[in-house]
Amino acid sequence: MGDDDGLDDDLHARLKGYEGRPSTVAGAGRDPVNAPMIRHWCEVLGDTNPAYTGPGATAPPTMLQAWIMAGLSPHTGRARPYEELLALLDEAGCTSIVATDCEQEYLRPLRPGDEVTYDSVIESVSPRKTTKLGTGYFVTTRTDVRVGPDLVGTHRFRVLKYAPARRPAKPPERRPRPVVNRDNAGFWEGVRDHRLLLQRCADCAGLRFPWLPGCADCGCPDWDTVDACGEGTVFSYVVLHHPPFPAFEPPYAIGLVELAEGVRMVSNVVGVPYDKVRIGMPVRLEFRRYDDELVLPVFKGVTA
Amino acid sequence: MSARTRDSLGGRAAVVGIGATEFSKDSGRSELRLAAEAVRAALDDAGLTPADVDGLVTFTMDTSPEITVAQACGMGELSFFSRVHYGGGAACATVQQAALAVATGVAEVVVCYRAFNERSGRRFGSGVRHREPSAEGAALGWTLPFGLLTPASWVAMAAQRYLYTYGLTPEEAFGPVAVTARRHAAANPAAYFHGRPITLADHAASRWIAEPLRLLDCCQETDGGQALVVTSVERARDLPRPPAVIAAAAQGAGRAQEQMTSFYRDDLTGLPEMGVVARQLWRTSGLAPADIEVGILYDHFSPFVLMQLEEFGFCAPGEAAGFVAADRLPLNTHGGQLGEAYLHGMNGVAEAVRQLRGTSVNQVPGASRVLVTAGTGVPTSGLVLTAQG
């Protein structure tokens, strides 16, 4: 959280003018302190303290705010100064709000049957602050909770009223990079030029893929390349469902494509729904750009 | 070449101790500590002490070096230490390495171990998104930009072709493998799925992971450690437990072999590297499929169990699903990696030893000849273990 230079912050000066002014006047709890709400609270929190059950039970002190909450209905009990303060902030672009913390003091236990009343005051407005959420002002209200004339507790509640920070655009997820080394760089250079290059043994003329610095059939280390014609069929395929990976949206199909030249390579089958890919399906090579540095050879399903 | 002639390793060494940690999803301790616990437990089981050990073997993937395990267990000098590569393909090969050392007198007592926090730490199932540009990295790199990133998806590519070739559905082909493993695990208190058998309908209803693989076709992810003690058959006679004699041990890699991505060769319906292992095991042990009483076949994913049965000649190509459904061979009696735990195949070797001792929770009466295999889809290994005599 950054403490902005507030010296020339006119808005802050105007907001400070509301300190000490009421935010709620003569509020009343919607229900008396009661055993069912106490029981629900304790069950949800797993609080088994025996002081909260049976004859002579008291309410958990931390329920203080529960007895004064306005419910889901629109806020109707706000005093005019607090409405004005919020409106000033809205006009200044601080249109978002988040509750940040509260502090409570307990003066005496509350018991079923107690009927609470309360008054709230705008206690303080912070200088302009910048947080990860955005830039705005922390506004603290203090609520004095009473039963009859007796003060039973105070509830300080702090909100950040702020202009949301513009989130930097998330860089798009990128596919895993090809693993390029001295043995296979020629293949990926070909892909950049939209060529699918197969190695051809200088001795036995066998075509091979993946790229290796020697022929698996005859062991000859010498080779040149030929351009694949781009026609092929799906030899096998997988539909990936789980786990999901960045840059891929499951389910998606990965094919093992047998090229017309007789070698196989793994690629994506595109232009066909993932659940329509089949073994034996004819496919045709195309090159797709996935980001500023990645072009891949993929295979478009050729449907009859 | 050992793949063509009978080797002389058979019958020279034996597994005399097994020990494991609990199998869990979060061990709460280091991989080194798991390794040390498993090694100590195996030595206790063998009636030996750390001072007796002069050799250690593990996987290249293991994070606990032999020298560090030796320190943590209070071992002295080591004359043999070795690691085997290719993931779970190393499992039975660690025992082969130990047997080779023992048979040649390079070491006298060798402990094989594997320990990891594979569930709470680095999960293999979470996939690969980047590899260094080594030869090994480049080999896997051909699939990564297209989103083929997980072990399940690499296996699924072959599984799909298998189904297509033999006209099978995933339910009828793979369901019986999963159901069999879970039935055995249900009776095994050490198994994660103890007391939780499944039906074919459960298998068919489980969600797709990498079609045609469903969730229930995939092994677990496990934290734990498993160790095995190997010594000579002569020394084994003086030890408290009945020895599991290493009648044959073999490694195998096929032509145009890759790690998990052997997509560019053959018809994709078998595991040629396991065929290499099978030929050696049958030749050296002098046994045939009909002689085997229990099969502990590596089951990180159900489809490769079928292909292994076919490679070993238990049934003809394409017939393994029916073979499993008919319960023709007691299979993965500990629950396998689908049901007991994923310990990279080492827990399977321990189960083979229990069967020969007569102490399995799913004991095959009088079992005296057990086949164990290691990781599939990778260069791999296997063992035939037999009871003494």
Side-chain angles (χ1 to χ4, degrees):
Chain A
M1 177 165 56
D3 195 351
D4 293 13
D5 177 6
L7 293 177
D8 58 354
D9 184 351
D10 292 339
L11 178 60
H12 182 237
R14 293 175 66 192
L15 298 172
K16 289 283 282 183
Y18 287 90
E19 288 182 353
R21 301 188 63 190
S23 57
T24 315
V25 178
R30 299 180 72 200
D31 299 287
V33 176
N34 63 84
M37 285 173 68
I38 293 171
R39 181 171 61 78
H40 292 156
W41 173 282
C42 290
E43 284 183 2
V44 168
L45 295 184
D47 190 337
T48 56
N49 190 328
Y52 308 144
T53 57
T58 63
T62 48
M63 280 188 80
L64 186 65
Q65 191 185 5
W67 309 120
I68 60 173
M69 289 181 91
L72 293 175
S73 54
H75 291 280
T76 51
R78 281 179 183 154
R80 178 176 292 273
Y82 193 51
E83 295 285 359
E84 289 175 6
L85 175 81
L86 296 178
L88 270 177
L89 284 161
D90 282 336
E91 286 163 23
C94 296
T95 52
S96 293
I97 190 162
V98 61
T100 59
D101 62 301
C102 75
E103 299 164 26
Q104 297 179 334
E105 296 167 72
Y106 314 114
L107 279 72
R108 77 138 166 93
L110 289 169
R111 295 192 169 75
D114 283 342
E115 296 193 11
V116 303
T117 58
Y118 58 95
D119 295 278
S120 304
V121 62
I122 300 164
E123 193 170 70
S124 65
V125 182
S126 76
R128 187 168 63 205
K129 303 275 188 181
T130 297
T131 74
K132 271 191 179 167
L133 289 174
T135 298
Y137 300 85
F138 288 93
V139 178
T140 307
T141 55
R142 190 194 74 240
T143 303
D144 294 327
V145 183
R146 291 188 167 77
V147 174
D150 301 329
L151 188 64
V152 297
T154 64
H155 170 67
R156 275 190 182 76
F157 192 69
R158 194 167 294 115
V159 298
L160 174 64
K161 186 93 172 104
Y162 65 99
R166 292 178 68 105
R167 288 173 197 277
K170 226 171 136 185
E173 304 279 13
R174 304 198 324 164
R175 287 184 170 218
R177 304 290 97 176
V179 179
V180 183
N181 64 16
R182 291 175 181 181
D183 293 324
N184 66 22
F187 174 81
W188 294 105
E189 285 161 15
V191 167
R192 265 204 299 281
D193 298 336
H194 288 200
R195 298 172 67 191
L196 191 69
L197 297 177
L198 310 177
Q199 284 178 309
R200 178 171 56 192
C201 177
D203 190 9
C204 72
L207 296 175
R208 65 176 186 259
F209 190 89
W211 278 40
L212 287 173
C215 176
D217 289 327
C218 73
C220 173
D222 301 321
W223 48 272
D224 63 2
T225 60
V226 296
D227 282 84
C229 73
E231 302 296 325
T233 54
V234 174
F235 186 82
S236 191
Y237 66 97
V238 176
V239 178
L240 213 297
H241 292 258
H242 185 82
F245 288 95
F248 295 98
E249 288 182 17
Y252 59 93
I254 304 127
L256 178 61
V257 173
E258 189 155 273
L259 301 178
E261 290 81 3
V263 301
R264 295 180 205 147
M265 64 177 297
V266 170
S267 181
N268 293 117
V269 179
V270 301
V272 181
Y274 72 89
D275 57 353
K276 296 286 186 268
V277 176
R278 292 289 179 273
I279 288 176
M281 173 181 274
V283 292
R284 187 170 298 139
L285 173 69
E286 63 178 48
F287 291 89
R288 282 202 179 176
R289 174 168 290 283
Y290 287 90
D291 55 55
D292 56 358
E293 61 181 34
L294 184 65
V295 173
L296 292 175
V298 296
F299 289 85
K300 192 174 174 72
V302 182
T303 42
Chain B
M1 182 177 175
S2 67
R4 293 182 190 146
T5 59
R6 179 176 185 151
D7 68 53
S8 59
L9 185 60
R12 308 280 295 277
V15 182
V16 296
I18 56 176
T21 65
E22 82 287 2
F23 304 136
S24 77
K25 300 297 177 190
D26 185 358
S27 72
R29 50 209 197 274
S30 73
E31 294 182 332
L32 174 60
R33 183 166 157 187
L34 294 174
E37 288 180 21
V39 168
R40 282 193 215 101
L43 287 168
D44 283 349
D45 181 66
L48 293 167
T49 69
D52 294 311
V53 177
D54 53 5
L56 287 169
V57 187
T58 187
F59 294 43
T60 52
M61 278 186 85
D62 205 276
T63 63
S64 300
E66 305 92 306
I67 51 174
T68 316
V69 170
Q71 288 185 62
C73 292
M75 293 172 187
E77 296 171 342
L78 300 178
S79 60
F80 178 70
F81 31 91
S82 174
R83 297 203 192 191
V84 187
H85 197 44
Y86 305 120
C92 295
T94 64
V95 176
Q96 184 197 37
Q97 292 272 302
L100 286 164
V102 166
T104 53
V106 166
E108 193 171 343
V109 174
V110 181
V111 183
C112 309
Y113 64 90
R114 178 76 174 111
F116 53 22
N117 286 321
E118 198 277 327
R119 178 59 181 80
S120 67
R122 188 168 84 80
R123 301 174 63 174
F124 302 165
S126 62
V128 177
R129 300 200 59 226
H130 174 75
R131 278 287 154 95
E132 296 302 318
S134 62
E136 201 166 272
L140 198 58
W142 297 108
T143 76
L144 302 183
F146 305 102
L148 196 71
L149 304 166
T150 61
S153 69
W154 302 324
V155 171
M157 193 66 87
Q160 186 81 269
R161 187 72 195 181
Y162 181 92
L163 295 175
Y164 170 84
T165 302
Y166 299 117
L168 297 166
T169 66
E171 297 76 25
E172 65 187 336
F174 310 145
V177 176
V179 168
T180 300
R182 293 290 293 273
R183 185 179 78 231
H184 289 141
N188 176 6
Y192 181 73
F193 285 120
H194 179 225
R196 286 195 278 169
I198 59 167
T199 63
L200 287 171
D202 293 331
H203 170 268
S206 69
R207 66 189 168 107
W208 292 120
I209 299 297
E211 216 171 313
L213 297 193
R214 292 189 158 83
L215 178 65
L216 293 179
D217 293 308
C218 304
C219 72
Q220 301 172 60
E221 297 182 290
T222 302
D223 287 10
Q226 174 78 58
L228 313 159
V229 182
V230 175
T231 191
S232 65
V233 290
E234 291 77 21
R235 183 152 183 189
R237 291 193 191 104
D238 300 329
L239 296 174
R241 309 278 185 193
V245 176
I246 300 161
Q251 284 188 297
R255 287 189 73 84
Q257 179 76 51
E258 306 255 336
Q259 288 190 65
M260 299 302 290
T261 54
S262 298
F263 302 144
Y264 316 105
R265 66 177 187 187
D266 305 325
D267 55 8
L268 229 59
T269 55
L271 296 165
E273 57 280 359
M274 200 57 93
V276 177
V277 170
R279 292 199 300 276
Q280 295 175 82
L281 292 183
W282 295 145
R283 192 173 294 121
T284 295
S285 69
L287 300 175
D291 299 318
I292 295 298
E293 294 150 317
V294 185
I296 309 293
L297 303 185
Y298 197 92
D299 60 341
H300 56 357
F301 299 98
S302 60
F304 282 172
V305 173
L306 304 179
M307 295 187 198
Q308 289 181 83
L309 287 165
E310 294 166 11
E311 291 288 352
F312 275 95
F314 287 99
C315 57
E319 293 181 358
F323 181 92
V324 175
D327 264 328
R328 304 238 323 257
L329 174 73
L331 206 57
N332 295 342
T333 47
H334 54 323
Q337 302 189 103
L338 293 166
E340 184 185 60
Y342 177 69
L343 250 289
H344 242 167
M346 294 294 266
N347 51 325
V349 183
E351 172 64 8
V353 172
R354 284 189 293 267
Q355 283 287 354
L356 295 171
R357 291 177 177 182
T359 60
S360 169
V361 291
N362 292 297
Q363 183 63 42
V364 174
S368 62
R369 295 178 296 270
V370 183
L371 170 68
V372 197
T373 62
T376 39
V378 290
T380 189
S381 54
L383 299 169
V384 172
L385 301 180
T386 59
Q388 183 82 313

